[in-house]
Amino acid sequence: MTTVEKFRDLLRQHYVFPEIAEKIDEILAEGVASGRYAVADEAELAALVTADAQRINGDKHLRLLYHAEELPEPADESLKAQEAAFLAEMVTFAGRTASGMHRVERLDGNVAYLDIQPRLLPAVITAEAISAAMTLVADADALIVDVRGCLGGEPSIVALLLSYLFDDEETPLTGIYDRASDSTRQWWTFATVPGRRYGGSKPVYVLIGPKTFSGGEQVAYDLKVTGRATLVGQATRGGAHPRFGVRLTPHLEASIPTARAVHPLTGTNWEGVGVAPDVEVDADAAFETALSLVRPAS
């Protein structure tokens, strides 16, 4: 089975929208028949397949990814072994990136600044770091949360993070519809959290931009939909479909969305359109703009 055929097989079996999967598969079949994918360079192949796969609905998580460094071949193909290997990799990554809590700072005027990047990792790994960061900002009079460089994150850690920005009532957040089980897991803010809350009454400003993606977008989307924060910057990238990755060759990975985000208040998500700011400015100017909103000129 060729690489493209493997990709098509995974698409048909697992893509969150079966009807769209059929249409995409027809496009890929045409590409195979025409010889479009008869290229020797795997990076070029990845670009061609990705472009065709995204032609119907522009799903940014649906991709054939090329990796310059060779992907490790699983020694054990069992799901349990793959999950353990993934977790170990995430633990190492968390240790190198402060679990996504890139910068925590108290600014003049008792304004707190939290910069989250490059991504939010599973709660089982990063809950302690989230608790520590949020405890540090708990006494601030205003909070700026920067997700301009946040490229993703799991719903579990987004729910934990956002719980610190509300009081102890459970507030509905984005849920995840899963194709395999044909069910939706609803997420809520937690009634109790480790450490101290910033709380649900003091102002929150969220900085967003075109690099903000996936879980980073959920942070912004959920805070906007609930009216909890003011978003400052530019529209985000627009990826709302959780995915899994499968190694097809030493350098190629199939990225297949198997689920989709659904917020109970809107019935939809930010896929393809991104999250729009409340105050639109160039992303590079978002921080200073937010500060001006916190400290209006007298």
Side-chain angles (χ1 to χ4, degrees):
M1 185 180 291
T2 68
T3 298
V4 177
E5 287 171 339
K6 292 176 183 177
F7 184 89
R8 292 175 57 197
D9 187 54
L10 290 167
L11 172 77
R12 291 190 299 266
Q13 290 188 55
H14 302 290
Y15 187 51
V16 61
F17 301 112
E19 301 85 359
I20 295 177
E22 292 180 6
K23 296 178 181 179
I24 296 172
D25 186 54
E26 291 176 1
I27 292 174
L28 296 177
E30 291 174 3
V32 171
S34 67
R36 173 171 165 78
Y37 309 129
V39 294
D41 185 78
E42 287 193 322
E44 182 181 357
L45 175 63
L48 290 171
V49 171
T50 297
D52 288 347
Q54 294 180 354
R55 274 169 53 188
I56 297 295
N57 62 346
D59 190 331
K60 293 179 176 62
H61 278 111
L62 179 61
R63 295 172 286 178
L64 181 61
L65 296 170
Y66 173 77
H67 298 269
E69 295 185 7
E70 185 169 320
L71 297 167
E73 186 171 3
D76 186 337
E77 294 292 341
S78 71
L79 179 60
K80 184 176 181 180
Q82 291 183 46
E83 289 177 344
F86 174 76
L87 186 62
E89 181 182 344
M90 290 299 99
V91 169
T92 300
F93 186 73
R96 294 173 178 171
T97 60
S99 296
M101 302 295 99
H102 182 70
R103 179 179 169 191
V104 184
E105 185 176 356
R106 188 64 63 88
L107 308 173
D108 292 341
N110 201 28
V111 177
Y113 173 69
L114 173 60
D115 184 8
I116 301 174
Q117 60 171 292
R119 61 183 298 112
L120 287 163
L121 300 171
V124 67
I125 300 171
T126 58
E128 186 175 353
I130 294 285
S131 174
M134 298 310 296
T135 296
L136 287 173
V137 307
D139 291 323
D141 294 326
L143 173 62
I144 298 173
V145 179
D146 192 344
V147 291
R148 288 175 296 178
C150 185
L151 307 180
E154 290 191 346
S156 62
I157 197 63
V158 173
L160 176 61
L161 172 69
L162 297 190
S163 296
Y164 288 91
L165 305 182
F166 291 86
D167 296 321
D168 57 4
E169 77 280 5
E170 294 183 339
T171 300
L173 303 174
T174 295
I176 300 295
Y177 168 80
D178 177 67
R179 170 183 168 174
S181 63
D182 191 25
S183 64
T184 300
R185 177 172 183 179
Q186 178 60 50
W187 289 93
W188 305 74
T189 57
F190 302 140
T192 60
V193 294
R196 301 175 58 207
R197 294 180 193 266
Y198 174 78
S201 59
K202 295 180 290 185
V204 177
Y205 298 86
V206 179
L207 312 185
I208 59 174
K211 292 182 180 178
T212 310
F213 191 56
S214 194
E217 293 178 284
Q218 186 188 340
V219 171
Y221 187 84
D222 282 353
L223 290 175
K224 179 173 183 173
V225 167
T226 56
R228 180 63 189 94
T230 300
L231 275 53
V232 183
Q234 293 174 255
T236 62
R237 192 170 157 196
H241 295 159
R243 44 79 70 182
F244 74 91
V246 177
R247 180 186 186 273
L248 300 183
T249 77
H251 294 277
L252 291 175
E253 173 194 1
S255 172
I256 308 293
T258 59
R260 61 183 173 88
V262 184
H263 196 288
L265 296 182
T266 65
T268 185
N269 57 52
W270 56 94
E271 177 64 37
V273 296
V275 184
D278 299 302
V279 180
E280 186 170 5
V281 295
D282 188 276
D284 291 337
F287 177 75
E288 293 299 330
T289 301
L291 275 181
S292 72
L293 296 172
V294 176
R295 311 169 182 159
S298 57

